Amino acid sequence: MKAPLSYYGQVIIFSLVNYLPYLLMAMYPFRKKFRFSKTVTIWAIVLLSVWEVILEILAVIIFPAHDQIFTLLNTIVFVATYFLLVRDALGKIVFTLMILTNFANFILIASTYLSSIIWGSNIDIPDHWTTSLLMLLMQFVILLPLKQYFTRYYIPAIRESYDLCWNYLWIIPITFYIIWNFIIYYVPDCSSYQMALRRSTTLVLLLITIGSCVIYHIAIMMICAQQEHLKLEQEKRLWEISSLQFKTIKDRITESRIIRHDLRHEVMILQTLLAEQKYDEIQTHLERYGTKLSHGASCVFCENETANIIIGFFAQQAKSLNIQFNAKVCFPSSFSLDELEVGVLLANLLENAVDACRLSSVPDKTIDLSIRTQGNSVLALSIRNTSDPNPLEAEGEFFRSTKHEGVGMGLTSVRRIVERHQGTLNIKQEGCTFSLSFVLYLN
C-alpha cells in the first residue's frame, strides 16, 4: 500500500527532529576545532541531513522489513562525518558524542511513550506529528540547560585538560549506551517500539539517565579540579621564580650602594696615582672597578615585567653554568596574552633550554631566544639551544622528561597554550641543536 504524502512529511520532520539538534549540540563544544571552514562545515551538515532523511524514508516507508540495516548504515555515516568535521582528541569526541546519544535515546523513548498515551488506539503507527512535537518540547527542556552546562563546565574541561585523561573517560558513556541498547533491543519476543510503550521502560531509563548525568558531572568536576591544581602549581612556580629574581635584584641594589659608597675612596686613589704618574696601576685599578660595576648591573630585556623577570632569572642561571645566553626580545608592557600564560610559556621553555644545555656533552653551549610582537594580537617566539641529539621521545601528545621517569609536562603545557590561540608549535632537532618556534594569533 502506497503511503500518503502526509506520512512522508511526518517521517521527514521526525527524522530531522531526532537528529539535527543533537548534531548541533555535539558540534558546539568543538566550534573552534572544526577541521574545515565554516562554509564547508555547514554544507556537510546539510548533506548529512539529506542523507538522514533519505535513509529514514527507506527504513520506515519503503523497506520497513530492513529498517535495522538502514539504521546501522545511518549511524556509521553520521559518526564518520562527525569525526571528519571535528579535529580534537579521539577520547573527547567519543565522550561528547555518546553523552548526546544517551540523551537522544531517552528523549525518543519518553516522547514515544507520551505519544502513545495521547493517541491511544493509534500506537501501532510510529513517528506521529505528536511524537515530533513532544521531542521538540523535551529537547527545549533538556538541551538548553545542557548547553549552559557545556558552556560553564564542559567546554573549559575539554579545552584546558590534557588529552591523556580522555583516553579512558569515554568508556563511561559507552557503558551507559550498551545498557540502554540492551534494555530496548535485547528483550525476547518484544520489539523496541513495544518496549518504548511500557511505562516501566521509561521509568528505568529515566533513572539510568539521571545516574549517568551524576557520573558525568563527577568526572568533569574532577578534570576541572585537576586543571585548577595544575594552574596553582604553575602560579607557585612563577612566584618562586619571581621571588628568586627579586632577591637577586635586591642583592644587586645592595652591591651597587656599596660601590657608590666606595666611589669617593676610589677617586682619591686614582688622583694619587695620577699625581705620581703611575698609569699602569691606574689602568689596572679602572679595569678592576669596571668589573665590579658590570657585576652590579641589572639587565633589562624588555618592557613586559613578567617576561623580563623570567628571562632575567634564567639568563642568570645560564651565566652561572657558562652557557652563552642571547636574547632579542620585543615585548611591550601591555599585551593581550594573559600574564600566567606568558609565565608558563617562558618558564617552561627556558627551563628546558637551560637543563638541556646543562646535561649536554657539547663544549660550547648557547641559548638563543627571540620574541617579536605585531600590534596587540600577534606574538612570535623562537628558541634554539644546545642539546644532545634526540633528547625527546614522543609518547602520545607528551614527551619523555629528561628530569624524572615518565612523561614531561613542560612542552605539553606550551602546546596547549599555543593551540588555544590558534597557533602551531614547530619542534626540530638538528644534530646538537634543538629549536622550537610558534606564532600566536590573539583575539
Side-chain angles (χ1 to χ4, degrees):
M1 181 178 178
K2 186 177 181 180
L5 188 61
S6 61
Y7 193 57
Y8 279 89
Q10 69 169 281
V11 170
I12 292 173
I13 296 298
F14 174 84
S15 174
L16 293 176
V17 171
N18 192 37
Y19 147 78
L20 195 55
Y22 306 111
L23 175 62
L24 297 178
M25 276 294 297
M27 302 285 284
Y28 175 66
F30 305 103
R31 61 191 185 277
K32 295 184 178 180
K33 291 290 188 74
F34 292 157
R35 196 179 300 274
F36 308 106
S37 66
K38 289 184 178 180
T39 303
V40 173
T41 303
I42 292 173
W43 273 109
I45 293 174
V46 171
L47 294 176
L48 189 60
S49 302
V50 174
W51 174 263
E52 167 74 21
V53 169
I54 293 174
L55 286 185
E56 189 71 17
I57 291 175
L58 292 174
V60 175
I61 300 177
I62 301 178
F63 302 107
H66 305 286
D67 59 330
Q68 292 183 350
I69 296 177
F70 290 109
T71 301
L72 178 61
L73 181 60
N74 186 40
T75 301
I76 293 174
V77 174
F78 173 80
V79 172
T81 304
Y82 181 68
F83 277 74
L84 179 65
L85 295 178
V86 175
R87 183 186 61 202
D88 210 322
L90 180 64
K92 296 178 182 180
I93 298 175
V94 174
F95 190 91
T96 305
L97 188 59
M98 296 313 302
I99 286 180
L100 270 301
T101 301
N102 290 338
F103 275 110
N105 287 337
F106 172 73
I107 291 175
L108 175 60
I109 297 300
S111 300
T112 303
Y113 172 71
L114 294 175
S115 177
S116 70
I117 294 177
I118 296 173
W119 282 90
S121 60
N122 291 330
I123 61 173
D124 291 332
I125 305 175
D127 303 332
H128 287 291
W129 296 109
T130 308
T131 305
S132 299
L133 178 60
L134 289 171
M135 288 175 61
L136 282 174
L137 292 175
M138 294 190 68
Q139 288 168 355
F140 181 81
V141 172
I142 294 176
L143 296 187
L144 282 184
L146 184 63
K147 178 179 179 296
Q148 298 299 320
Y149 180 85
F150 273 14
T151 302
R152 183 173 181 180
Y153 297 108
Y154 187 62
I155 292 177
I158 63 175
R159 183 182 62 211
E160 304 291 339
S161 60
Y162 297 110
D163 295 348
L164 186 64
C165 62
W166 294 93
N167 290 345
Y168 307 97
L169 284 178
W170 61 268
I171 298 175
I172 299 174
I174 283 286
T175 302
F176 284 109
Y177 178 78
I178 294 173
I179 295 173
W180 264 96
N181 283 272
F182 182 81
I183 292 174
I184 295 297
Y185 295 105
Y186 296 95
V187 178
D189 303 324
C190 187
S191 68
S192 60
Y193 182 65
Q194 291 172 331
M195 284 296 298
L197 301 182
R198 295 181 179 181
R199 180 188 304 174
S200 59
T201 303
T202 303
L203 291 176
V204 169
L205 295 181
L206 174 61
L207 293 176
I208 293 176
T209 301
I210 294 174
S212 65
C213 289
V214 172
I215 294 176
Y216 297 153
H217 180 68
I218 292 174
I220 293 170
M221 289 300 99
M222 289 178 63
I223 292 175
C224 292
Q226 180 191 43
Q227 289 305 114
E228 187 64 26
H229 175 73
L230 179 61
K231 182 179 179 180
L232 291 174
E233 287 293 325
Q234 292 171 340
E235 290 178 345
K236 178 183 176 183
R237 173 60 176 155
L238 297 179
W239 182 83
E240 290 173 350
I241 291 175
S242 299
S243 298
L244 291 172
Q245 184 68 349
F246 176 77
K247 182 179 182 300
T248 301
I249 293 173
K250 186 178 179 181
D251 293 342
R252 285 181 175 180
I253 292 174
T254 302
E255 184 178 351
S256 298
R257 287 175 177 173
I258 294 173
I259 291 174
R260 285 198 300 269
H261 179 268
D262 294 340
L263 181 60
R264 56 183 180 178
H265 302 292
E266 300 290 343
V267 171
M268 291 176 60
I269 293 172
L270 289 173
Q271 288 177 339
T272 302
L273 293 174
L274 184 61
E276 296 175 0
Q277 296 184 351
K278 296 180 179 179
Y279 301 117
D280 291 339
E281 293 186 23
I282 291 175
Q283 180 68 25
T284 303
H285 202 77
L286 287 174
E287 290 176 355
R288 185 171 63 249
Y289 190 69
T291 302
K292 285 186 178 181
L293 289 177
S294 63
H295 287 165
S298 179
C299 184
V300 177
F301 291 93
C302 63
E303 299 176 0
N304 188 280
E305 183 178 357
T306 302
N308 194 67
I309 289 175
I310 294 173
I311 295 172
F313 174 77
F314 286 104
Q316 269 189 302
Q317 281 198 346
K319 184 177 180 180
S320 66
L321 295 170
N322 295 321
I323 301 171
Q324 183 178 347
F325 189 91
N326 306 312
K328 295 180 180 180
V329 182
C330 179
F331 205 156
S333 58
S334 178
F335 196 70
S336 54
L337 188 62
D338 182 75
E339 285 190 4
L340 178 60
E341 292 182 322
V342 172
V344 170
L345 288 171
L346 290 176
N348 281 307
L349 293 177
L350 289 173
E351 184 177 33
N352 287 349
V354 171
D355 284 336
C357 289
R358 177 175 55 84
L359 297 173
S360 175
S361 57
V362 178
D364 298 325
K365 305 173 183 181
T366 61
I367 297 175
D368 297 315
L369 174 67
S370 173
I371 301 177
R372 292 175 289 116
T373 60
Q374 181 177 336
N376 200 38
S377 60
V378 180
L379 171 67
L381 182 147
S382 66
I383 185 169
R384 292 165 54 90
N385 60 266
T386 304
S387 72
D388 287 332
N390 302 319
L392 300 173
E393 294 182 31
E395 188 168 304
E397 69 163 304
F398 297 88
F399 294 93
R400 289 193 176 276
S401 174
T402 58
K403 308 179 187 68
H404 54 76
E405 290 295 325
V407 296
M409 305 299 288
L411 284 180
T412 305
S413 297
V414 171
R415 188 176 73 86
R416 299 299 296 180
I417 294 175
V418 171
E419 290 185 350
R420 190 181 307 150
H421 297 288
Q422 292 79 51
T424 302
L425 188 64
N426 300 307
I427 299 177
K428 186 184 297 183
Q429 178 78 30
E430 294 180 340
C432 294
T433 301
F434 173 83
S435 61
L436 179 148
S437 63
F438 60 78
V439 179
L440 302 186
Y441 300 96
L442 308 169
N443 296 326

